[in-house]
Amino acid sequence: MTLNVVPCHVREQWDSAVNTHQGHPMQLWGWGETKAAHNWSVDRVLVNDDAGKLVGSAQILVRKLPFPFRSLAYLARGPQAAPGQEIQVLTAVAQYVQNVHKSVALSIEPDWAEGTVPVAALPATGWQRSQSTILIPRTLILDLNRSEDELLGAMSKKTRQYIRKSGREALDYRAVSAAELPQCLAVYKETAARADFGIHADDYYLDIFNNLGAGSPVYAAFDGETVVAFLWLAASGATAFELYGGMNETGGNLKANFSLKWLAIQEMKARGVARYDFNGLLNDGVSKFKFGFADHEDLLAGTWDKGLSPWYPVFAKALPTARKAMRKARGLIKR
């Protein structure tokens, strides 16, 4: 079977294609528009069989690199593909990237579970694991087809207690309007300073909110008119994905993050979303908090590269060193 790869320039057609194959919100048009405004270019392609039937799609992010590497192409939680045709779609997309963008490599972090047939087939088709991970593969994914009672039953006893306790506090839990978003960003800056992690400038987050629209809901706990905790999601038809969150001292004292996360889960379930991804697990306090909401953990495929240029071995060797230098430079600047 011959697969044809064709660019897509119409937002409605694109998002429909993503949702047809239960794609991830990082493959939606609005996410690509945001990345295109912040140092990437974006190329969206539909993959059709020889009868013209849609069998897959991929939102390709391209970052320019110095000579002789030209560029790096990246699929965030992509591609989308009809069941059983994941490798064929991926092969067609890689060939397109090589022909059109002349990239040194295509890097992917697909929304595929580790141990599945598509992941097992990657090495035999020219892909190799990479340590240059952006999206953490170890995570928690809730099945929102389960009832609320079943979801609550899978939580730890302490988490259920804190949901009830924080729900009784004099806080209002609801979606955030555009006018209230600066309050969330102020809480996020406070959280980042306290936990010592880096964040983007405000315009990046505002672009996400505006470009994704209903696909990027933000929920907050309000003490009167003041945001004390917030949780920011991205959502496609099939998957909700936690992007950002934080709380101030008041929110922490009132355990607002427990009821807030439960609200977000309920809202996504009411939308008909099937999967709720907590976006990564590390060995930290935030991950311990996340574990209270599930009785399992999930492992996704991780990061895979396919070299598309004779320069790929040089690039693959240089990239980890370059990233370490960038992290060190950021740390020195921060200090």
Side-chain angles (χ1 to χ4, degrees):
M1 179 179 62
T2 302
L3 297 183
N4 301 307
V5 180
V6 295
C8 178
H9 304 292
V10 180
R11 179 172 187 149
E12 293 75 14
Q13 181 186 13
W14 177 256
D15 284 347
S16 175
V18 171
N19 286 319
T20 292
H21 293 127
Q22 290 75 56
H24 193 274
M26 285 187 169
Q27 286 285 300
L28 292 174
W29 184 280
W31 186 262
E33 290 298 281
T34 299
K35 303 308 287 187
H38 297 272
N39 302 317
W40 294 85
S41 60
V42 60
D43 189 1
R44 304 175 181 92
V45 296
L46 305 175
V47 184
N48 301 316
D49 65 15
D50 44 20
K53 179 182 178 183
L54 179 72
V55 295
S57 57
Q59 179 163 258
I60 306 161
L61 301 178
V62 181
R63 176 68 69 89
K64 289 184 178 180
L65 296 175
F67 181 84
F69 303 124
R70 290 179 175 263
S71 67
L72 173 67
Y74 171 57
L75 300 185
R77 292 290 183 257
Q80 291 69 241
Q85 294 187 269
E86 293 90 350
I87 297 300
Q88 294 94 321
V89 167
L90 189 54
T91 299
V93 171
Q95 187 64 58
Y96 173 90
V97 169
Q98 185 175 37
N99 293 341
V100 174
H101 296 288
K102 313 296 183 185
S103 299
V104 66
L106 173 59
S107 183
I108 63 170
E109 293 180 319
D111 197 20
W112 304 342
E114 180 66 45
T116 56
V117 171
V119 177
L122 287 171
T125 51
W127 295 86
Q128 60 187 60
R129 288 192 183 272
S130 170
Q131 299 304 311
S132 297
T133 297
I134 297 174
L135 300 171
I136 301 169
R138 180 173 171 246
T139 187
L140 293 174
I141 301 176
L142 297 183
D143 178 3
L144 298 190
N145 293 311
R146 303 174 76 185
S147 69
E148 288 193 5
D149 286 343
E150 288 173 323
L151 292 169
L152 285 165
M155 297 178 192
S156 70
K157 181 179 179 181
K158 180 179 179 181
T159 295
R160 290 193 298 271
Q161 289 174 338
Y162 279 138
I163 288 173
R164 290 193 294 268
K165 181 179 184 298
S166 58
R168 291 193 296 267
E169 300 291 347
L171 297 176
D172 181 21
Y173 297 90
R174 59 175 173 80
V176 168
S177 69
E180 294 163 332
L181 201 57
Q183 283 200 65
C184 296
L185 294 178
V187 170
Y188 196 39
K189 291 169 187 174
E190 182 178 336
T191 303
R194 184 172 64 246
D196 193 28
F197 62 84
I199 60 175
H200 297 281
D202 286 1
D203 62 342
Y204 181 81
Y205 304 105
L206 296 174
D207 282 347
I208 293 174
F209 189 81
N210 293 326
N211 289 329
L212 279 168
S216 188
V218 183
Y219 302 101
F222 290 83
D223 183 7
E225 298 298 319
T226 303
V227 171
V228 298
F230 79 97
L231 181 59
W232 193 324
L233 309 179
S236 61
T239 298
F241 185 72
E242 293 187 351
L243 293 175
Y244 317 109
M247 58 185 174
N248 60 20
E249 183 177 357
T250 300
N253 290 338
L254 297 177
K255 307 295 183 184
N257 52 338
F258 287 89
S259 282
L260 187 57
K261 193 176 290 288
W262 178 231
L263 170 67
I265 292 167
Q266 290 175 302
E267 289 289 320
M268 293 300 99
K269 180 175 174 58
R271 279 195 187 194
V273 171
R275 303 164 73 240
Y276 186 100
D277 189 336
F278 284 69
N279 185 9
L281 294 171
L282 299 170
N283 296 317
D284 61 3
V286 174
S287 296
K288 183 177 180 181
F289 164 67
K290 292 178 180 180
F291 268 125
F293 286 83
D295 54 3
H296 70 285
E297 67 177 73
D298 298 89
L299 184 63
L300 297 179
T303 310
W304 293 78
D305 286 353
K306 186 167 189 176
L308 304 177
S309 159
W311 289 101
Y312 174 70
V314 177
F315 172 78
K317 185 176 181 179
L319 183 60
T321 302
R323 286 192 168 170
K324 286 180 182 178
M326 289 175 65
R327 285 194 293 269
K328 184 177 180 180
R330 291 190 187 115
L332 289 171
I333 291 169
K334 188 170 183 177
R335 286 195 294 273

